[in-house]
Amino acid sequence: MSKSKKAIEVWKLTKRYGDLVAVNNLSLEIKNGEIFGLLGPNGAGKTTLISVLSTLLRPSSGNAKVNGYDVRKSASKVRSSIGLVFQDSILDLDLSALNNLDFHGRLYGMPKDLREKRIDELIKLVDLTDFKKKKVETFSGGMKRKLEIARGLMHNPSVLFLDEPTLGLDPKIRKNIWDYILDLRKKEKMTIFLTTHYMDEADFLCDRVSIIDKGKIIVSGTPKKLKGALKGDVVTIKMKNDREDIGRLIKKARSVKKFEIVDNQVVIYTTKAETKIAGYLAEIAKAKGIVDEILIHKPTLEDVFMHYTGREIGNG
């Protein structure tokens, strides 16, 4: 294993599909032991970047290292040092949890005694001991996702890629998996590269996040730093009619640092918002605006995302 202090290093990486540039001259560093979150709308380049870093795709230009290994020259060493959990399940539903893990270990050439030891450790780690001999087809969505993560850990990787690990799961199961991922980092001492559409997930889990849009990273930092950079309060006014004219009217008449039009809403950045709401509503009434909903809150990662991309994360 390479002794690089960086788990992942990316230099001016580009990946093209014909005329489409999926990843555009991207550079990035991720420290050993870091939980790193990559946030972006559909089609932003997240999965393409993971595919290049895991050697499933070759870069068009630029390069990257994972665990100190060159993704172009040392693909087999990269693969042996990483775990990868896809958005879609690749478990064999006809096999038991135990047999799914055993099969994965065989693919990596693990000897029998090491496979058996590792399976026992992982089954306990993901709390599936009572279900290890049950067919995966009988598992709930949360149980399958836990087994997917265990499968990705079977060969004891140094870096684990999690591509939308809790997509479609209910909030309680999502929170359980969050706690499990944090426990995993602590016990396995690994680097975790996470993509997610859930801003609360990134905020809770990640030491650092980057927002990617149209193949480029547009901002990076800790969740706390990124939220703090917006300062003050955020007022979100969901409207039924012409939002842009109303936003401009509010900014002209009231103390507003900045306003944005995001989908069907006016987003206002200000201070002491609670003292200004009545004035905002008065301006909207003058313009014959129709308000569906008005919210006040401190900046969240969702606000950071909208600030830098001009749209909500679920929208391409």
Side-chain angles (χ1 to χ4, degrees):
M1 181 68 64
S2 168
K3 297 185 182 298
S4 172
K5 293 182 180 180
K6 304 293 183 183
I8 296 172
E9 300 169 275
V10 181
W11 304 278
K12 298 181 178 180
L13 187 72
T14 295
K15 178 60 183 176
R16 296 184 182 88
Y17 299 96
D19 294 333
L20 173 66
V21 181
V23 176
N24 190 354
N25 199 36
L26 186 149
S27 296
L28 176 69
E29 287 187 348
I30 299 173
K31 298 176 184 178
N32 282 317
E34 186 174 22
I35 298 182
F36 172 81
L38 187 64
L39 314 177
N42 294 329
K46 302 186 300 297
T47 300
T48 297
L49 179 59
I50 285 183
S51 296
V52 171
L53 294 177
S54 58
T55 74
L56 296 174
L57 292 173
R58 284 183 64 82
S60 302
S61 62
N63 205 9
K65 286 185 178 180
V66 178
N67 291 315
Y69 299 126
D70 189 300
V71 297
R72 291 179 181 271
K73 299 176 181 178
S74 304
S76 62
K77 289 182 178 179
V78 171
R79 291 172 191 167
S80 67
S81 71
I82 65 171
L84 180 58
V85 179
F86 295 95
Q87 291 183 34
D88 299 321
S89 175
I90 60 171
L91 297 170
D92 190 324
L93 301 183
D94 291 327
L95 296 181
S96 66
L98 188 153
N99 287 337
N100 266 278
L101 296 180
D102 183 68
F103 178 69
H104 187 78
R106 289 172 185 265
L107 288 177
Y108 277 84
M110 298 172 67
K112 182 179 179 182
D113 58 343
L114 181 57
R115 290 200 312 272
E116 291 177 347
K117 179 177 181 293
R118 191 64 175 156
I119 288 170
D120 284 343
E121 291 173 351
L122 290 172
I123 288 289
K124 290 176 183 176
L125 187 65
V126 298
D127 196 25
L128 291 175
T129 302
D130 294 339
F131 304 92
K132 66 180 180 180
K133 294 185 178 179
K134 300 282 188 183
K135 283 189 175 184
V136 175
E137 66 182 1
T138 66
F139 284 15
S140 68
M143 292 166 67
K144 288 177 182 175
R145 183 54 64 183
K146 285 184 176 182
L147 185 60
E148 288 273 11
I149 295 173
R151 180 195 56 77
L153 294 171
M154 184 64 191
H155 57 293
N156 199 25
S158 296
V159 175
L160 179 64
F161 291 96
L162 299 174
D163 193 10
E164 303 283 355
T166 63
L167 186 66
L169 300 180
D170 69 50
K172 183 178 180 181
I173 294 174
R174 285 177 61 218
K175 180 59 166 61
N176 288 342
I177 290 178
W178 295 356
D179 292 338
Y180 167 63
I181 290 171
L182 291 174
D183 194 45
L184 185 67
R185 193 260 294 268
K186 181 179 178 181
K187 290 181 178 178
E188 299 281 331
K189 295 182 173 60
M190 68 175 57
T191 304
I192 297 173
F193 185 115
L194 170 80
T195 73
T196 181
H197 271 75
Y198 299 120
M199 296 294 100
D200 55 343
E201 183 165 83
D203 203 353
F204 184 82
L205 289 174
C206 295
D207 302 308
R208 191 165 55 94
V209 300
S210 290
I211 294 175
I212 185 172
D213 195 21
K214 298 177 183 177
K216 290 187 175 184
I217 288 178
I218 53 179
V219 68
S220 297
T222 66
K224 182 178 180 180
K225 182 177 180 180
L226 292 176
K227 291 183 294 183
L230 295 187
K231 300 179 180 179
D233 301 315
V234 180
V235 180
T236 302
I237 305 173
K238 295 186 178 181
M239 306 287 298
K240 284 185 176 177
N241 48 355
D242 194 328
R243 297 167 296 282
E244 190 159 353
D245 286 349
I246 290 171
R248 290 199 179 104
L249 183 63
I250 290 173
K251 184 174 182 180
K252 184 177 179 180
R254 300 287 162 181
S255 176
V256 172
K257 292 194 298 182
K258 182 179 180 180
F259 86 93
E260 297 170 349
I261 307 302
V262 182
D263 300 322
N264 67 329
Q265 54 201 17
V266 178
V267 181
I268 298 168
Y269 301 92
T270 188
T271 56
K272 298 182 180 179
E274 67 279 1
T275 67
K276 300 170 183 175
I277 290 298
Y280 295 159
L281 291 175
E283 299 299 337
I284 292 170
K286 288 180 187 176
K288 299 183 179 179
I290 302 173
V291 175
D292 276 341
E293 186 177 24
I294 187 165
L295 302 169
I296 307 173
H297 59 269
K298 294 298 180 183
T300 65
L301 274 186
E302 183 72 45
D303 297 311
V304 172
F305 187 88
M306 289 194 294
H307 176 72
Y308 284 103
T309 68
R311 58 192 186 277
E312 294 178 293
I313 193 166
N315 298 327

